[in-house]
Amino acid sequence: MTKRRVVVALGGNAILSKDASAKAQQQALRNTAKYLVQFIENGDELIVSHGNGPQVGNLLLQQAAGSTDINPAMPLDTAVAMTQGSIGYWLQNALNEEIRKSGLDCSVATVITQVEVNPDDQAFTNPTKPIGPFYSKEDAEAQHAEHPEFTFVEDAGRGYRRVVPSPKPVNVTEADVVNKLVNVGIVPISVGGGGVPVVREGDRLVGREAVIDKDFASEKLAEQIDADLLIILTAVDYVFVNFNQPDQKALGEVTIDELRNYLDENQFAKGSMLPKVQATIDFVENTNGGKAVITSLENIDGFLANGDGTIISKSVVDAAK
């Protein structure tokens, strides 16, 4: 069996559902770990990334509610680092527990990861990244009245959420650290929440008020560490075109040119499937023979056993390999 280097990106919504308590999120991650450990059992080198949209939004609300002059709320980049640490702590323990149960010989380490962005990225003047809980229109208006500096938009038919700037990643600063951990048999948890957004000012890295999309950050990390496979997990087993229509179609093996045609048709929802599709195209295009997969957490065994899921390759020939 050929050993593959696999980056698996978990969504923040897969960690937190309706119950935002630490106990509920820890239990969700224990369930998640049962699926992820299959890659290690398969002989793959596993790197895990995760989102934090719900968690960082909730943390900001908690901070805003309790902020005082003596004990002020932390800035957004620091809140991203805080949720990297908390989710990494939970996931690291869950994976280590499942690894021990499976009799495997490896360990897990969380890397607090900084991701460089362009200070002139237009995203800083056009916030698009949804964070925090979903609201009804009335509740979103009430939140905006209480926090006029917040921007709320309707999110893919699921309700209203706060949006913040989401610049594109240009460099994962700890990619070399992640690479070294993988080389010695450690499973890294990296670019949590898309990584802490920073810009370089001389020899310093300075945080910015933003949340990087975890799919794009995971793609950049996978590219920098020469991953063979980028797997982006979502709520469905396959990417669909004409989604929720009578003629909807699941995509199995698909090329990046085919996906681009679907992008031109506006087939994928912003803030939902669109960034996942764009990130997989970037990875396949920018690597030599790399493939990408979009599927659900629950379908990992189906993917490993039968290749189920949407598998993105550079060409039809590559898909057949």
Side-chain angles (χ1 to χ4, degrees):
M1 180 185 299
T2 303
K3 180 181 290 188
R4 302 174 300 182
R5 180 163 290 193
V6 181
V7 173
V8 178
L10 299 171
N13 290 304
I15 305 164
L16 184 154
S17 55
K18 292 182 179 180
D19 187 343
S21 68
K23 183 177 180 180
Q25 293 185 75
Q26 286 172 299
Q27 183 57 53
L29 285 168
R30 289 190 194 98
N31 297 335
T32 295
K34 296 179 191 297
Y35 292 99
L36 294 180
V37 80
Q38 293 179 70
F39 288 101
I40 306 171
E41 292 174 324
N42 195 54
D44 295 321
E45 295 177 335
L46 176 64
I47 302 94
V48 183
S49 63
H50 61 81
N52 73 339
Q55 293 83 0
V56 76
N58 287 348
L59 177 58
L60 291 172
L61 288 173
Q62 292 166 357
Q63 291 198 121
S67 181
T68 65
D69 291 339
I70 297 174
N71 187 26
M74 293 295 104
L76 181 51
D77 58 300
T78 302
V80 171
M82 292 163 73
T83 54
Q84 270 198 43
S86 61
I87 296 171
Y89 154 60
W90 296 332
L91 180 54
Q92 179 175 311
N93 283 342
L95 276 171
N96 275 325
E97 181 180 336
E98 203 59 37
I99 285 168
R100 288 193 297 272
K101 286 181 183 177
S102 301
L104 297 165
D105 183 22
C106 63
S107 57
V108 185
T110 299
V111 180
I112 301 300
T113 316
Q114 301 172 95
V115 176
E116 288 185 61
V117 299
N118 186 335
D120 299 320
D121 194 307
Q122 292 183 353
F124 286 111
T125 57
N126 180 33
T128 59
K129 174 64 177 173
I131 63 171
F134 289 92
Y135 296 101
S136 67
K137 184 176 181 181
E138 294 75 19
D139 288 342
E141 289 172 348
Q143 282 290 326
H144 181 65
E146 188 174 343
H147 304 286
E149 72 278 14
F150 290 0
T151 302
F152 291 86
V153 300
E154 197 274 333
D155 182 8
R158 298 175 292 181
Y160 287 76
R161 294 177 79 186
R162 181 187 171 190
V163 289
V164 298
S166 184
K168 292 290 286 289
V170 297
N171 178 53
V172 177
T173 63
E174 284 77 25
D176 185 53
V177 175
V178 172
N179 201 45
K180 289 176 179 177
L181 290 171
V182 174
N183 287 341
V184 296
I186 295 172
V187 176
I189 300 169
S190 181
V191 293
V196 180
V198 295
V199 297
R200 190 171 291 277
E201 295 181 1
D203 294 330
R204 297 180 62 203
L205 293 174
V206 180
R208 283 299 184 94
E209 291 270 325
V211 174
I212 301 169
D213 188 283
K214 72 97 178 38
D215 297 319
F216 290 121
S218 301
E219 185 284 321
K220 182 58 67 175
L221 175 66
E223 194 181 317
Q224 288 183 237
I225 65 171
D226 296 322
D228 301 296
L229 197 61
L230 169 64
I231 300 178
I232 296 180
L233 299 179
T234 186
V236 291
D237 293 352
Y238 293 87
V239 176
F240 289 86
V241 292
N242 303 324
F243 185 59
N244 276 342
Q245 302 299 316
D247 59 343
Q248 77 171 13
K249 181 179 73 170
L251 300 179
E253 293 182 349
V254 62
T255 68
I256 56 176
D257 286 340
E258 290 171 323
L259 280 182
R260 286 195 181 98
N261 289 335
Y262 292 131
L263 287 175
D264 291 339
E265 297 174 3
N266 296 316
Q267 285 281 356
F268 311 116
K270 293 180 179 179
S272 179
M273 190 59 74
L274 180 60
K276 295 171 175 55
V277 169
Q278 292 172 323
T280 58
I281 290 174
D282 288 347
F283 176 71
V284 172
E285 186 170 53
N286 295 332
T287 55
N288 184 18
K291 293 185 182 182
V293 180
I294 300 176
T295 191
S296 68
L297 179 71
E298 294 78 12
N299 189 50
I300 283 176
D301 54 350
F303 165 71
L304 289 172
N306 307 309
D308 297 340
T310 297
I311 301 176
I312 300 101
S313 302
K314 192 166 289 186
S315 68
V316 175
V317 174
D318 291 328
K321 291 180 180 178

